[in-house]
Amino acid sequence: MSSVIAQTRFSVLDRSRTREGHSNAEALRDTVALARELEGLGYHRLWVSEHHGVPGDAGSAPTVLAAAVASATRTIRVGTGGVMLPNHRPLVVAEQFGVLESLFPGRIDMGLGRSVGFTDGVRRALGRDKDDAEDFAGQLDELLGWFRGTSPTGVHARPAEGLTVPPFVLAMGEGAAIAARAGLPMVIGDLRNRPKMQRGIDHYRANFRPSPWAAEPYVVVSGTIAVAAGPEEARRLLIPEAWSMAYSRTHGTFPPLPPAERVEALTMTAKERGFYEQGLTGHIAGTEEQVADELDILLKETGAQEVLVTTSTYDRGSLLDSYRRLARIREAARGPVP
């Protein structure tokens, strides 16, 4: 087993996907329960996400959900993947993470993205528009200034000022360049477009400026990884998300995840079928041996220090089994303890 896997951190982003026949409350409780399991399996972080007005996502308040996850666990790092900074005032974001860090010292991460609400209606409800994402670099600088106590307003962010909450930039669009200029760790995907991902990583490393937050580049690659007893079982884990993505691209809204067997019985239009088949490709999926081989290639190509797994599926039991198998791959790479 490759030593590069042994040296890599493995973490999880759980988007609190809702499932057909299940409530939003169940989706949120599923995230908390998963965090406990992942902690026992030795995963490094559990992150939660921010979505607004999406039928298939219950995670609309990531710092609130992060507090619930942190209170239910003891050692795993907890954070956001991410808080969409253009949706919020940087002072309020700093205050929220200051509270989290004060309650759970040394365990909180601040993953930050530059997306604004996906539809005009959501953006209006948030009091934002598309142009608000254009000043992400300035918003990021203001946010970090609240922690450093360098705001020119004379206002102090309590209890954030003076605390160290590791910031990460989600490298969507211009994110890689912004992370490099700010000297922050970067999270980049997706695995389905390796050349584009590699270009972002290369740009980040070439232009990285050391900062008080990070002396060297730190790359987290993110994407879907599904591990099962056989290739077909692993592929079935991908089906619910692939269909929901296909539906969103043809109907304009992301629905709750359906069971794989219902998707397999559907009659799809040619357009739906095209998006669906596309959604099944480009991921890392298979048996433990197959996934280990693919991970070895990915990590050697990218030089990433960490993998953030973003898998979503209807069957939470099979999802947990996938994470258990992935943990076994990592432990096998590390070998027996002397």
Side-chain angles (χ1 to χ4, degrees):
M1 189 74 69
S2 171
S3 63
V4 70
I5 296 176
Q7 298 164 3
T8 303
R9 290 169 167 166
F10 284 82
S11 301
V12 172
L13 167 65
D14 192 75
R15 293 191 176 94
S16 304
R17 295 289 202 215
T18 55
R19 298 176 291 153
E20 289 184 0
H22 298 264
S23 67
N24 288 322
E26 285 179 276
L28 297 172
R29 288 194 291 266
D30 284 343
T31 295
V32 176
L34 179 64
R36 294 192 193 100
E37 296 284 355
L38 295 174
E39 182 174 69
L41 292 170
Y43 282 85
H44 187 60
R45 314 178 201 273
L46 184 285
W47 281 4
V48 297
S49 60
E50 176 182 343
H51 296 277
H52 299 283
V54 180
D57 288 286
S60 57
T63 54
V64 177
L65 183 53
V69 170
S71 66
T73 55
R74 294 183 302 137
T75 57
I76 194 170
R77 296 195 64 86
V78 178
T80 57
V83 163
M84 296 301 145
L85 194 51
N87 289 340
H88 313 279
R89 291 301 308 162
L91 170 61
V92 175
V93 175
E95 291 171 336
Q96 290 174 347
F97 279 97
V99 169
L100 285 170
E101 177 64 20
S102 297
L103 293 172
F104 309 102
R107 292 180 55 206
I108 301 301
D109 301 321
M110 186 168 57
L112 305 161
R114 65 189 296 269
S115 291
V116 192
F118 290 129
T119 67
D120 289 338
V122 169
R123 286 190 288 271
R124 284 195 299 271
L126 291 170
R128 298 292 185 267
D129 59 42
K130 290 181 179 180
D131 293 340
D132 288 313
E134 298 305 312
D135 190 34
F136 177 67
Q139 296 158 358
L140 180 62
D141 186 62
E142 180 184 343
L143 171 62
L144 299 180
W146 289 114
F147 287 92
R148 296 192 298 262
T150 57
S151 171
T153 64
V155 176
H156 297 272
R158 310 292 188 197
E161 188 173 310
L163 297 180
T164 300
V165 181
F168 294 74
V169 172
L170 276 61
M172 297 172 287
E174 299 296 318
I178 293 170
R181 288 196 300 270
L184 299 180
M186 177 186 71
V187 183
I188 189 166
D190 64 50
L191 302 180
R192 291 180 293 178
N193 193 337
R194 301 284 183 89
K196 181 179 179 181
M197 183 176 69
Q198 191 63 55
R199 288 194 297 272
I201 292 171
D202 292 343
H203 179 89
Y204 169 72
R205 288 202 175 104
N207 295 278
F208 182 85
R209 301 174 183 174
S211 74
W213 304 95
E216 298 177 345
Y218 189 90
V219 175
V220 183
V221 291
S222 66
T224 295
I225 300 175
V227 197
E232 281 306 310
E233 292 95 326
R235 181 182 179 278
R236 283 178 64 81
L237 283 170
L238 306 176
I239 288 174
E241 178 91 351
W243 167 247
S244 290
M245 288 299 295
Y247 187 93
S248 72
R249 297 184 70 176
T250 52
H251 294 77
T253 185
F254 188 93
L257 297 174
E261 56 268 22
R262 189 175 81 74
V263 176
E264 291 172 322
L266 287 174
T267 300
M268 302 182 193
T269 66
K271 190 174 184 180
E272 289 171 340
R273 175 67 64 179
F275 284 131
Y276 171 66
E277 295 292 345
Q278 181 182 347
L280 292 172
T281 62
H283 308 292
I284 295 178
T287 64
E288 290 174 37
E289 183 178 358
Q290 290 170 329
V291 168
D293 289 342
E294 291 194 53
L295 279 172
D296 185 61
I297 293 170
L298 171 70
L299 294 171
K300 286 178 178 176
E301 287 179 348
T302 62
Q305 290 99 325
E306 188 169 341
V307 174
L308 182 69
V309 186
T310 62
T311 309
S312 298
T313 195
Y314 179 88
D315 187 338
R316 297 292 291 193
S318 295
L319 179 63
L320 179 56
D321 180 67
S322 178
Y323 283 130
R324 286 172 177 154
R325 291 175 182 276
L326 182 58
R328 285 207 295 264
I329 293 171
R330 181 198 62 213
E331 291 307 314
R334 291 177 178 175
V337 178

